[in-house]
Amino acid sequence: AGTPPFRVGGALVEPLAPLVTFRDAALAAPLDGEINDESLVFRLSLDRFAILFTGDSGFVTEARLLRDPRRLACTVLKAAHHGSRYSSSIPFIKAAHPRFALISAGYNNSFHLPSAITLADLQKLGAAVYRTDLDGTIELDVDRQSGGVAVRKLTRMIDSP
């Protein structure tokens, strides 16, 4: 988060987390315990469009980021931690106010992600949810002038034996 915003092409990249640096880079031990809360979080914006990438961050990181909620506003939220119930809190979703939420999760995964609670919260707060476990690859076409987004599901067909 100490890195200033920078441009790549026409897009602005704003690093938001981790907010704490590692004690020892060789050990990769975070200062406050939970390694997921050391995930890279950044906002990428292009004119009227913004997407918030949240890594595996959880409630601790969300609480820190909510200190400056204006930086969370986005069109698309890549939901943290595969849609875990330990991330995407209601205050965080409200601050981000995404029209779309993307959840990366493996089909029939052993962690039973995404969480039904997280899915319900995202939908209740107005986000259309797309999930890689059910929808396959998700592609976004962005109109940078209007901020409009077209979502396509690019599911891969699996050949049967």
Side-chain angles (χ1 to χ4, degrees), residues 1 5 27 33 36 41 50-51 67 78 102 113-114 118 123 125 127 136-137 157:
L27 297 175
N36 285 336
V41 177
I51 183 168
R67 292 177 188 158
K78 197 294 290 169
L102 308 178
L113 296 173
T118 300
Q123 291 168 341
L125 294 172
T137 300
M157 299 303 291

Side-chain angles (χ1 to χ4, degrees), residues 20-138:
V20 191
T21 58
F22 290 110
R23 263 189 288 237
D24 182 340
L27 297 175
L31 287 174
D32 58 352
E34 177 57 50
I35 193 74
N36 285 336
D37 279 309
E38 299 304 318
S39 288
L40 176 62
V41 177
F42 67 96
R43 183 176 182 265
L44 185 140
S45 56
L46 185 63
D47 296 331
R48 298 188 68 190
F49 171 83
I51 183 168
L52 185 61
F53 292 93
T54 54
D56 279 346
S57 60
F59 294 145
V60 171
T61 296
E62 289 180 5
R64 289 178 183 152
L65 292 171
L66 281 166
R67 292 177 188 158
D68 188 2
R70 295 168 296 142
R71 298 178 76 189
L72 303 177
C74 61
T75 312
V76 177
L77 171 67
K78 197 294 290 169
H81 206 208
H82 315 283
S84 161
R85 66 182 176 171
Y86 302 108
S87 60
S88 302
S89 66
I90 288 177
F92 188 79
I93 299 167
K94 282 182 177 179
H97 194 65
R99 292 194 333 242
F100 303 95
L102 308 178
I103 299 176
S104 175
Y107 180 75
N108 203 23
N109 65 79
S110 60
F111 296 102
H112 308 288
L113 296 173
S115 161
I117 294 168
T118 300
L119 291 170
D121 288 347
L122 287 164
Q123 291 168 341
K124 176 173 56 179
L125 294 172
V129 177
Y130 294 89
R131 308 165 42 168
T132 59
D133 60 331
L134 300 180
D135 299 321
T137 300
I138 301 159

